[in-house]
Structures are given as structure tokens and as C-alpha cells.
Amino acid sequence: DTLRVSLAQLIPTCHISLSVCFFHSFIFLSSQMPTWSNWSNSLHYGGRLVEPRSVSEVQAAVKQASKVVVVGGGHSFIHPSGPVAPLIADSARKDDGLVVVDLKPHMNRVLSVDAEARTCTIEGGCMIGPLALELEKYGLALGNLPSLHVVTFIGVALTGTHGCNKGLGPITNLIRSMKVVGGDGVVREITDPRLFMHLGLLGVVVEVTIQCVPFYHIKQSCFEGVPFEAFREKSVEIIKSNSYTQFWVDFVGGPGDKGQVLGWVREPLEGVNPPTSELHPGVGGKLRTSGVVAAEAADWPIRGTGVGAWYDMLVFFRLGAALKRGDSVQAEYYVDISDLPAALTALSKIPKLEEVLQHGCEVRPVAPDVGALSPTNKRFGSELLMGLHFTMDVNPTRVVQAVKAIETALRPFNVRPHWGKLFNNSSEFLQKVYGPQAHPDCAFFWKTMLDWDPSGKFRNEYFDTAATSPATSKL
């Protein structure tokens, strides 16, 4: 009863069993307290919690552990390489030998900033919010941002999280080098971008150097009430004609319950102006100046139309927003931009749509990259990909139904899931996409993992099999 293996162990079982498993996992009936829980209280770890103050303390913790899992801001809903059954339900699980490493309390500093080279070096537990404010002192910024600040930079990078700029890949692309403590306790430096998005499989990231850009401002137009069908038909053209785009698709709202879209179109302050009369010629929409209230931070509305610093405009949850602990989980899948209109149509035809997709679908672009395990790797042949993001209330039955329904609808488009969100792709599919025989870069990654972590401290048996037995792997 766990989401740990991408729901792969859960979906094949009967519906009643699934409901019981999810209920126990999410509601947390066990009398044993977890060592650590994620943002949505849907993922729990037992074992021994370690909050190191130095690289040497990280090394000592790794050497003493039989298994290690590293946690960050807690906004991942799955750690695919972590223990197979880390959730503590009514039958308490003993995580003997598991060490949970949290760098946020003490190893969270910006170590240096080189204004001339436009780089900065941070510790592995550094959160994005403090980093943004420190960079501002030097006239610098990050070129890309996820949707919130209360996460670690390395956490969003390792899971392949992205922003909303059509010309930028995942956050990982900002990295120039990183230092990791491997399973053997040795500190190594990674400079090969194929290895940056390693999901924690290569070790504890204790330091990372980031390429920055000059400080910038963003101007944005927010449009509400855009008819779904008009947006769907012109979606590719809309996204390609603007620098930053982000949309919330409500498949059943609006006049006649035909669906509507809320969208943000953004440009650098020095660039061209975003549209102001309608989202796109012939598409419609009403310009919105007031903020958009989100349940996670009701006192800090998402910016409407206006101008502001990059760290205020490229996120939904701004600096200073105190996010309450969530009662929802998320899934996300990447589709080629050419397939976006058809994918939106397929999603709109899911049976009992209003029950399954209670919060609609968020749509954001991401450019290809070179990470061996990246779902947006350029080897898949896309010029531009779209992240289709879904938020689901923590409900035992509905989460299962939603994940199955979404994946069924998107299967014709060869989608690949976000590593930090819920998914249920088959072992065969994952082996075909990421196994050693999938591509030379994948083979290189798995060999590196086995060399640096020979005893498997940072991986579970599924990743062991993926790396060593291509024909029978069950990732």
C-alpha cells in the first residue's frame, strides 16, 4: 500500500483493495509516527532523520546507512528511486537501516556569487526563494522558475521540473556543475549534463553551480473566459507566438458548460508587448487585472495583468506566501506540441470528466534537453513539448480513477510522466524509454550509477533491475 513505485503495484489489483490502500496511506492510520512527510501528507518515511551541517557529516551518514533517501521542499508526490514501501499504514513498517537526509535546516546557503561570470554556487538544501533575493543584490536572476519558491533548487532540478518559457528546457539546464556524495561516500563533481537529472540515484547533491542571467522584469497579460474550443484550435499558434505561456483549462466550465481557459501570456519588459485585447486574434478572452486566488495561499493571489520582477511574475505562489499543507496530489505528462490540440480533445472526452478532473489541466511549454533520464530529452524528436499538469484531491478512489483515465486518454500520444508526480506507466514502457538499451546515454547513466553506488544505497530493486537486466527490468 504505497505510491512509491508510480502506482505500478497498485493499479493491477482489484478496485476495493486499491481504495483500502490509498485510504490507509493518505489518511495515515498508523500509530507509528513518520520521520518525514511530504507537502500533501501523501508520502511518509520512517527510518532515521539526519540533518547534516557539513559535507563530512553527509559522508558519515551515507557510509553508515544501508539505504538513503534525500528529501527537499516536499513538493514531490513520488520518489521513484526511494524505498518501495515507505508509507506507514496501520501495519507499521520498519525501515531498518534507512537514513532520511534533509539538507534544508543547515546546508542551505548561497556559498558564492560571481557577478562577472553570472554564476552562483549554493548548497544542496538552498531554497529558491532565498536564492532569488540573494541574486538580486548582484543584479542577477534565474532564467527559469517553477511555480513556487518554497522548494529546493536541486529538488526541482533532479525531478525535471520546468517553467513556462518555450525556449527553455527544465530547471536542470541552469546547472553548470554539481558535487555529490555517492553511495561509497566519495565526493565527485558532475559536469556532464546527461547526468544532472539523476533523481538522487547518483548520490546526495551537496553543492551546485548555476548559470544566472541579468536581473529582469516581466510584463504579463492575464485573460479569463477564453472559450475552450477556440483555445484548443489555436493553442499551438498561441504558444509559439509568445515567450512565456501558462494556461488553466477547465473542460466543463464557462457558458453552456463547454469549457473555458484562464491564461497568462508573458514577455520580458524590454521585449514586445503581450496581447491586451484578446488572448489571440479570433480566440477571445477578457483581460483580468485582479489577482487569481488559489486555495494553497488564499492571502497571496496569483498576479493578474501587470509588470513585476521575474520572481513575482513567473510563479503562481510569490515570495512571502505561506503555503498551507496541501490536501491534493499531482500528475504531469509531456506531449509533443503538435499533438496538443488532439490531446486536449482526448482529455475532454474522459467519461465522468467533472468527477475525474476536478481541477482541470494546467498547460505549460518546455524545450527539449539532453538528460539521459529526462522525459523531455531531445532524442524523442520534439521541437517543443507541453507539460499537461493535473491536480487531484486526496481521495482514495478518485486518485486511482483519475490517473488511470488520464493515462488511457493520453496513451496514443506516447506521453512520458514527470518523475516527481504520480504515474502508472508499465515496467515495459519505462524500460523501453530509459533502459540501458534505449539509448547510449541511458547505458552511460546506468553504468555510472552502478560504479558510484555499488551497493545500491540510493535505489530500490526496480532500478537495480533496470540497470542490470534490460530484458526483464521492472523499473
Side-chain angles (χ1 to χ4, degrees):
D1 40 6
T2 174
L3 290 175
R4 176 53 44 246
V5 191
S6 313
L7 299 175
Q9 271 56 57
L10 296 184
I11 298 299
T13 60
C14 72
H15 183 74
I16 295 177
S17 297
L18 280 169
S19 299
V20 173
C21 290
F22 272 74
F23 182 75
H24 285 180
S25 297
F26 284 127
I27 306 304
F28 185 61
L29 300 180
S30 172
S31 60
Q32 182 178 344
M33 294 300 293
T35 297
W36 179 89
S37 299
N38 72 339
W39 176 76
S40 63
N41 286 314
S42 62
L43 170 61
H44 309 282
Y45 287 128
R48 181 168 65 93
L49 178 65
V50 175
E51 299 175 346
R53 297 174 180 270
S54 65
V55 174
S56 61
E57 289 188 11
V58 174
Q59 291 176 288
V62 171
K63 289 178 180 178
Q64 294 168 9
S66 59
K67 290 290 181 181
V68 181
V69 63
V70 184
V71 297
H75 208 261
S76 286
F77 304 92
I78 183 172
H79 291 169
S81 61
V84 172
L87 297 179
I88 305 171
D90 52 354
S91 56
R93 167 192 165 91
K94 291 184 178 180
D95 288 311
D96 294 330
L98 175 66
V99 170
V100 180
V101 177
D102 188 354
L103 302 183
K104 295 192 308 299
H106 307 297
M107 297 183 68
N108 55 21
R109 299 172 297 163
V110 177
L111 297 175
S112 64
V113 177
D114 187 331
E116 184 176 351
R118 297 176 182 168
T119 61
C120 69
T121 299
I122 63 175
E123 292 181 301
C126 184
M127 306 285 278
I128 286 181
L131 172 59
L133 294 178
E134 184 66 16
L135 290 177
E136 185 174 14
K137 298 176 184 178
Y138 296 86
L140 297 177
L142 297 177
N144 205 355
L145 268 183
S147 60
L148 68 170
H149 295 287
V150 289
V151 288
T152 62
F153 175 87
I154 199 61
V156 298
L158 292 189
T159 55
T161 301
H162 59 99
C164 60
N165 187 306
K166 66 179 181 182
L168 300 175
I171 305 298
T172 317
N173 282 12
L174 304 182
I175 296 175
R176 290 297 165 262
S177 67
M178 66 171 66
K179 292 181 180 179
V180 300
V181 175
D184 53 6
V186 175
V187 178
R188 296 178 175 89
E189 184 174 25
I190 302 175
T191 58
D192 191 328
R194 294 177 296 172
L195 302 179
F196 287 158
M197 195 185 299
H198 60 73
L199 315 180
L201 289 165
L202 300 185
V204 184
V205 180
V206 292
E207 185 178 300
V208 59
T209 296
I210 306 165
Q211 185 66 56
C212 305
V213 298
F215 191 90
Y216 59 101
H217 290 79
I218 290 290
K219 50 190 174 184
Q220 73 178 19
S221 293
C222 178
F223 291 93
E224 60 185 349
V226 179
F228 166 68
E229 187 58 27
F231 169 78
R232 188 198 69 81
E233 290 180 355
K234 296 288 187 179
S235 57
V236 174
E237 188 176 333
I238 294 169
I239 291 160
K240 287 187 175 183
S241 60
N242 297 280
S243 295
Y244 301 84
T245 54
Q246 194 163 6
F247 306 97
W248 278 352
V249 179
D250 177 0
F251 293 102
V252 295
D257 297 330
K258 294 183 178 181
Q260 62 183 348
V261 175
L262 174 66
W264 290 261
V265 179
R266 307 176 176 110
E267 296 290 345
L269 183 60
E270 298 77 14
V272 299
N273 290 321
T276 55
S277 59
E278 59 180 333
L279 177 60
H280 192 76
V283 172
K286 178 182 177 182
L287 197 66
R288 176 173 180 146
T289 57
S290 60
V292 179
V293 177
E296 293 89 342
D299 295 333
W300 291 77
I302 302 166
R303 295 285 195 192
T305 299
V307 177
W310 64 281
Y311 53 66
D312 254 0
M313 307 304 282
L314 296 181
V315 296
F316 277 159
F317 306 110
R318 294 175 282 139
L319 282 172
L323 297 184
K324 70 176 184 179
R325 300 290 287 188
D327 55 1
S328 60
V329 291
Q330 300 173 358
E332 182 174 2
Y333 304 86
Y334 298 101
V335 62
D336 188 285
I337 190 171
S338 64
D339 290 326
L340 178 59
L344 291 174
T345 296
L347 291 169
S348 72
K349 293 181 177 179
I350 291 176
K352 297 181 179 180
L353 181 65
E354 191 169 3
E355 295 180 14
V356 175
L357 299 183
Q358 299 165 314
H359 303 284
C361 173
E362 181 187 350
V363 180
R364 286 186 287 164
V366 56
D369 65 296
V370 298
L373 298 190
S374 174
T376 57
N377 191 293
K378 65 181 182 181
R379 65 187 170 89
F380 298 119
S382 297
E383 61 164 323
L384 182 63
L385 298 111
M386 302 304 302
L388 304 181
H389 178 279
F390 307 89
T391 298
M392 298 161 281
D393 294 338
V394 178
N395 177 291
T397 302
R398 285 184 174 176
V399 167
V400 176
Q401 292 175 338
V403 170
K404 293 176 67 175
I406 292 167
E407 294 187 353
T408 298
L410 296 179
R411 187 171 296 128
F413 309 107
N414 297 315
V415 297
R416 296 169 296 279
H418 185 296
W419 283 110
K421 313 280 177 75
L422 303 183
F423 62 93
N424 182 45
N425 279 307
S426 68
S427 300
E428 292 76 15
F429 171 83
L430 292 173
Q431 177 60 23
K432 176 182 177 181
V433 176
Y434 298 112
Q437 294 179 338
H439 191 272
D441 288 351
C442 295
F444 168 65
F445 180 91
W446 296 118
K447 182 180 185 304
T448 302
M449 181 192 75
L450 294 172
D451 288 345
W452 293 7
D453 184 19
S455 61
K457 292 186 177 184
F458 293 104
R459 62 184 183 272
N460 55 42
E461 55 264 39
Y462 300 96
F463 278 83
D464 255 336
T465 308
T468 57
S469 304
T472 58
S473 172
K474 295 184 182 296
L475 184 59

